[in-house]
Amino acid sequence: MTVVVRTIARVLLPISLEFGGYVIMHGHLTPGGGFQGGAVAASGLAMVVVAFGAKRLSGKKGLLSALESLGGVAFTALAFLGLGLTFFANVLAGAGGLFGNPVPYGVNPGDLNTAGTLPLMNWAVGFKVLAGLGAVVLLFALFGGEHDR
Amino acid sequence: MSVHAPILAIGVALLGGFAAPLWAKLHKTLRDLWVLLVVGFVGVCVGYVAVHVFTTGIWVYVLGGRSPQETVASGGFPIRIMLTVDAMSAFMGVIAALLAVVAFPFALKYIAEEEGKTLSLTLGLLLLAGILGMAYTGDLFNFFVFLEVTSIAACALIGFRTWTSRAPEAAFKTMLLYSVSGLLFLLAVAFLYGEYGALNLAYISAQLSGTAVDRLSLALFLGALLMKAAAAPVHFWAPDAYGQAPAAKTLLLVVNTQVSLYGLWRVLFTLYGGILDAPVGWLVVSLGLLTMGVAAFMALVQTDLGRLVAYGAVSQIGYMLLGVGVGLVALSGRPDYGLVAMKGGIFHMLNDALTVGLLFLCVGAVEWAKGTRDLRELGGLGHGLPEVALCFLVASLALAGIPPLNGFASKILIYEGSFRLSPILTALAVLASILLLAVFARAFQGAFLGPRVEVKATVPWVFLVSMGVLVVGILVLGLVPGFFVEGLVTPAAEALWRGRALYLAAVLGG
Amino acid sequence: MSRWLGVGAFLVVAGVLIFAGVAVRPFGVPPRTEMDAYFNRFSQPEVAANNAVTAIVFDYRGYDTLGEATVLFTAVTGVALILRRRGK
Amino acid sequence: MIGNLPFVVCMILVALGLWTLVAKRNLVKLVIGIGLIESGVNLFLVALGYVHQGIPPIYTYAPKDAPMVLPTPQALTLTSIVIGLATTALMLAFAVVIYRHKGTLDARKIRDLRG
């Protein structure tokens, strides 16, 4: 791709990653969450694949698949965390510690430090979706390139 | 920990799938050990659940609640997803775990490292998790989610041999059918959610009143699950799929079909059990007859050993549909013969898993040794591979329903039940069995008899152990069927036959 | 001949679906909302999340989300398997 | 009053998707047909959750005393969208491999598996 596309991709990649991170982080307060934020961030990765070509990124395939596995393991581990009560029980919500502030019923401005395991799960799923979608785009791009040659 | 056994079976299988690629990055042997460990653990959990359910009754497990037994919120309606394991679910779980325990050691040896072993083992674990998730869940949307897990994992495994053009083609076809089936299921769930504002199977079942929309949902459920279970008009994906997947993984595909049938039983008997009428039963019976007939005739003309066995497998689906369909027809009056036929149909699920599984392992062993499955090129393998020939013979006879093997034990129950409804049904079913016997006699003769030929490779002992386990199962189930029918099959059939009230009471209380 | 049969079957299915769209229930007036009212009322006190949808996705129906994450993981693994190069 | 028009539109989308599956022979168009059905079902799910004059079920800076729409269908739709994406990705991967083997995407020309 031309230098214009590459430059714009360089500028936009951090922005899309940051916006994806924002959507993931505020998943329990505003519209959005792990899947949506992960997809936003993955669109940045797709842009990089288009702008710079899949060849230059082919070494990152292993990294992406490892990241995806880690995201899945982390998500399942968070679900296992509730096993003292039941699988998936939200043991951190309202417990006072990490993400443990209570929330009264009704309209409020929102507090990031709430919702227990939800933000952690959002992050796990966000990374998983980012890595997964990135890997799919990269695999398709690599396969096509191989065929054309 | 034992109070969490049902979810541990599913959760650990999922965790195993997620983690398998990570272990493979460290060392391949670690990955193999991990896979065996996970499958073993899942097997233990499933066994524990089964023993518990068969001795003490339905096991309800609420996910994410303060306690696993807190099924309904204040107000008397369930809000969280819950696992509801009754005898039928536990029975299905046992079939899945049994075949997984046999299939995974076989797969470790059968699939070469350079052909994507890590990925296919991962998919196998996820498929197992999806099957168990479908069997244990008591929530309609959750059933859909796990239906899709199994669909995607199964299709990826069907497309495994990407270096041939047939495998991706079969996989595409199958995926198309599976997607439509999943979407029809989701549409049916959406209709029910729109009417009743709930997703819990037991709660909706208690509310169903038989409106036009309810009946449309039933039609959509039937279409979706029959499509996925390879019943006759839409069976054509199954031979391609079974023929193309690696032999060890075909076992899991067989269980995948059966768990779709299990979903059908669950929908018909538990969800719609209160308002069902006989025409639905007759529909299931006629589809069953059509399936066994069409598949048996198609098996006659096959030249590929894998596809021939696959058509044999499809025809067995017909017997299950016939057995349980007779029970459905008789559901309103609940005469004895309905329960007998249902016992036969459900017992046949276990028998079919063992026999068809063994046949596919034999096909895999033949391909391993000879490099081809074409009956026109095969022949004389009985000299080089006597153990495989023996296994194939036992499995074919069992599939055709020859006493004293297990296929006979379940088919005789189906015949007995269906005869009391209408002798024509029995006659047709017997005819299909005879046809199958002819088909498999020809296959055995074509592949194993004839002048001695050289085999490229001997069959590893792991294969023989896997196959031996299944042969022992077939013989034991055939020689002492009474013990298993009393202990395993009757509770499972009763759970569908009369168990709806118990199922609803276990979830909704009172 | 078989073409018109197909068209006829399709028209019947489409007619049934559209009839279902009319018959299902009035738009905008859900008849039964116990479960959803519970989620809207208790997602703050129970899960401490302002966003009821996220509370459902990760808490009340978190198990579905685990399945969904599995579906995505399975698909990525499957694509990697299908588009792999043999012998590597 | 628009009556049940939203539901009917969703059903029309589903029907169009089914028509695509029946009538088209290009593999990518078949995938698009699946996508159409899926969009119809997803829209139907979301439409089921609508309440007249409803606001999103999120309490952060929400207007006071407005009815909230039902949150469950939105959560279900999120799940089903991701599942649809996974299905589409896998089917396209098969289509790509088939194209590489056969050099065509026409379903009539690639049938090795018959009978």
Side-chain angles (χ1 to χ4, degrees):
Chain A
M1 284 285 167
T2 62
V3 71
V4 179
V5 177
R6 288 180 182 214
T7 313
I8 291 177
R10 272 205 191 94
V11 176
L12 284 183
L13 175 65
I15 296 178
S16 71
L17 288 182
E18 194 202 342
F19 183 58
Y22 167 81
V23 171
I24 296 173
M25 203 160 88
H26 290 77
H28 53 298
L29 300 176
T30 57
F35 284 96
Q36 296 90 327
V40 169
S43 72
L45 280 194
M47 183 173 61
V48 169
V49 171
V50 171
F52 294 94
K55 271 283 163 53
R56 278 178 60 176
L57 292 163
S58 59
K60 298 280 189 293
K61 227 164 48 180
L63 180 72
L64 284 179
S65 81
L67 193 60
E68 204 200 355
S69 283
L70 277 177
V73 171
F75 187 39
T76 322
L78 282 169
F80 272 105
L81 199 63
L83 219 52
L85 300 170
T86 54
F87 197 67
F88 262 106
N90 195 340
V91 284
L92 296 180
L98 182 68
F99 295 117
N101 289 356
V103 177
Y105 175 62
V107 175
N108 64 59
D111 177 1
L112 264 187
N113 195 27
T114 55
T117 50
L118 261 64
L120 298 171
M121 284 183 175
N122 265 327
W123 277 110
V125 169
F127 272 109
K128 194 170 139 44
V129 172
L130 168 66
L133 294 187
V136 167
V137 170
L138 193 58
L139 283 165
F140 271 103
L142 280 172
F143 192 82
E146 214 178 282
H147 185 235
D148 291 341
R149 192 154 27 85
Chain B
M1 288 311 266
S2 60
V3 291
H4 302 295
I7 192 62
L8 279 180
I10 302 166
V12 168
L14 286 176
L15 190 67
F18 289 148
L22 292 176
W23 289 111
K25 282 204 182 354
L26 292 177
H27 199 280
K28 302 293 186 227
T29 318
L30 274 178
R31 175 204 60 199
D32 292 357
L33 286 175
W34 171 252
V35 170
L36 288 178
L37 189 72
V38 167
V39 172
F41 184 80
V42 170
V44 169
C45 283
V46 169
Y48 179 80
V49 170
V51 169
H52 195 271
V53 168
F54 280 121
T55 49
T56 61
I58 298 174
W59 189 343
V60 181
Y61 185 95
V62 181
L63 290 150
R66 294 287 119 184
S67 108
Q69 270 71 45
E70 187 191 20
T71 51
V72 289
S74 55
F77 49 92
I79 54 161
R80 292 174 188 272
I81 300 177
M82 56 189 78
L83 306 178
T84 316
V85 189
D86 71 352
M88 187 64 220
S89 321
F91 182 70
M92 195 61 233
V94 167
I95 296 179
L98 193 66
L99 281 207
V101 168
V102 175
F104 275 95
F106 193 95
L108 286 177
K109 182 80 189 165
Y110 186 74
I111 297 167
E113 195 66 70
E114 64 271 16
E115 290 178 355
K117 187 173 174 182
T118 306
L119 295 176
S120 71
L121 285 174
T122 309
L123 287 170
L125 283 175
L126 294 173
L127 182 54
L128 175 63
I131 289 168
L132 289 176
M134 277 166 83
Y136 284 178
T137 191
D139 187 282
L140 284 174
F141 190 78
N142 193 247
F143 189 90
F144 161 75
V145 170
F146 280 96
L147 186 85
E148 290 286 345
V149 172
T150 56
S151 295
I152 292 178
C155 288
L157 286 172
I158 294 163
F160 178 77
R161 299 169 205 258
T162 49
W163 55 93
T164 69
S165 73
R166 291 179 161 210
E169 201 189 318
F172 188 89
K173 204 195 255 183
T174 312
M175 192 73 226
L176 207 62
L177 262 284
Y178 277 5
S179 308
V180 174
S181 123
L183 288 169
L184 290 183
F185 194 94
L186 180 59
L187 193 58
V189 174
F191 276 125
L192 288 183
Y193 172 78
E195 293 288 290
Y196 301 105
L199 294 161
N200 187 280
L201 201 151
Y203 184 73
I204 295 179
S205 175
Q207 308 286 322
L208 273 187
S209 54
T211 60
V213 174
D214 292 346
R215 292 186 188 279
L216 181 72
S217 302
L218 175 60
L220 289 170
F221 277 128
L222 266 174
L225 291 168
L226 284 172
M227 210 181 256
K228 198 151 185 252
V234 277
H235 67 285
F236 50 83
W237 61 268
D240 302 346
Y242 290 166
Q244 295 304 324
K249 299 297 179 195
T250 315
L251 267 67
L252 290 176
L253 293 185
V254 171
V255 187
N256 186 14
T257 325
Q258 293 192 347
V259 82
S260 311
L261 277 180
Y262 156 80
L264 190 63
W265 309 157
R266 182 58 78 211
V267 165
L268 288 174
F269 285 93
T270 308
L271 185 57
Y272 281 89
I275 61 164
L276 212 62
D277 19 71
V280 181
W282 281 109
L283 178 76
V284 173
V285 167
S286 48
L287 285 178
L289 288 175
L290 190 66
T291 308
M292 66 178 83
V294 167
F297 272 110
M298 290 302 287
L300 268 179
V301 296
Q302 298 305 315
T303 53
D304 181 311
L305 191 59
R307 283 173 72 79
L308 188 145
V309 171
Y311 272 111
V314 174
S315 74
Q316 301 307 302
I317 302 285
Y319 287 92
M320 299 167 209
L321 285 173
L322 174 63
V324 180
V326 169
L328 265 177
V329 173
L331 190 64
S332 51
R334 291 201 169 72
D336 280 342
Y337 68 84
L339 184 61
V340 172
M342 282 191 50
K343 276 186 206 167
I346 289 163
F347 192 24
H348 204 64
M349 289 169 85
L350 176 60
N351 292 336
D352 169 73
L354 294 178
T355 42
V356 173
L358 181 55
L359 281 172
F360 277 117
L361 290 187
C362 291
V363 174
V366 166
E367 198 177 13
W368 169 277
K370 200 74 178 114
T372 177
R373 295 182 313 190
D374 196 325
L375 277 174
R376 287 165 298 196
E377 295 169 32
L378 290 172
L381 285 174
H383 303 281
L385 306 169
E387 305 93 345
V388 178
L390 191 67
C391 289
F392 192 89
L393 187 65
V394 169
S396 328
L397 293 178
L399 191 98
I402 302 296
L405 298 167
N406 64 351
F408 175 75
S410 51
K411 277 183 182 175
I412 192 74
L413 288 172
I414 299 177
Y415 297 155
E416 193 186 328
S418 60
F419 189 81
R420 303 260 296 274
L421 185 66
S422 159
I424 303 170
L425 304 177
T426 318
L428 290 173
V430 172
L431 211 62
S433 267
I434 294 170
L435 208 59
L436 279 175
L437 186 62
V439 167
F440 279 93
R442 187 184 67 108
F444 182 75
Q445 186 256 335
F448 295 102
L449 301 183
R452 174 187 289 272
V453 291
E454 288 305 308
V455 289
K456 271 198 298 199
T458 54
V459 179
W461 62 270
V462 184
F463 288 16
L464 294 178
V465 170
S466 288
M467 286 151 70
V469 170
L470 289 179
V471 169
V472 169
I474 288 174
L475 289 175
V476 168
L477 282 178
L479 292 173
V480 277
F483 176 73
F484 293 93
V485 171
E486 286 311 310
L488 278 171
V489 179
T490 308
E494 285 279 1
L496 296 177
W497 184 242
R498 286 181 213 281
R500 178 165 171 269
L502 288 175
Y503 192 95
L504 300 199
V507 174
L508 303 173
Chain C
M1 179 58 201
S2 69
R3 183 181 174 77
W4 289 112
L5 212 67
V7 172
F10 166 74
L11 284 179
V12 169
V13 170
V16 169
L17 282 175
I18 289 169
F19 164 75
V22 178
V24 58
R25 62 163 170 77
F27 177 68
V29 201
R32 310 282 299 271
T33 57
E34 301 101 333
M35 187 172 75
D36 294 274
Y38 182 95
F39 289 147
N40 275 340
R41 173 63 186 82
F42 288 101
S43 74
Q44 284 182 316
E46 275 189 10
V47 191
N50 273 350
N51 185 342
V53 176
T54 305
I56 294 174
V57 167
F58 287 105
D59 188 304
Y60 293 112
R61 301 191 69 82
Y63 183 53
D64 272 350
T65 308
L66 181 60
E68 169 191 6
T70 313
V71 168
L72 192 65
F73 182 84
T74 315
V76 174
T77 314
V79 170
L81 184 82
I82 301 306
L83 300 183
R84 73 190 186 277
R85 265 168 298 182
R86 203 187 172 198
K88 205 200 83 173
Chain D
M1 272 305 284
I2 50 170
N4 267 0
L5 198 61
F7 294 148
V8 173
V9 170
C10 300
M11 290 302 132
I12 291 176
L13 259 179
V14 173
L16 284 178
L18 286 175
W19 175 248
T20 315
L21 291 186
V22 176
K24 298 293 175 187
R25 287 289 169 266
N26 185 307
L27 297 188
V28 176
K29 286 184 184 169
L30 293 179
V31 178
I32 292 173
I34 294 284
L36 273 177
I37 302 180
E38 193 192 300
S39 314
V41 177
N42 287 342
L43 279 173
F44 181 62
L45 262 174
V46 172
L48 281 173
Y50 182 70
V51 177
H52 274 307
Q53 314 290 329
I55 58 163
I58 295 171
Y59 284 94
T60 313
Y61 294 119
K64 284 232 185 271
D65 297 329
M68 285 182 170
V69 301
L70 310 185
T72 318
Q74 301 196 13
L76 303 188
T77 310
L78 176 63
T79 306
S80 127
I81 287 174
V82 174
I83 289 173
L85 174 119
T87 317
T88 312
L90 197 65
M91 285 176 72
L92 285 178
F94 291 134
V96 165
V97 176
I98 292 174
Y99 183 79
R100 168 183 260 193
H101 278 292
K102 297 281 181 174
T104 176
L105 285 172
D106 192 331
R108 279 165 299 195
K109 292 182 188 152
I110 55 174
R111 286 198 189 151
D112 283 343
L113 298 163
R114 272 178 174 274

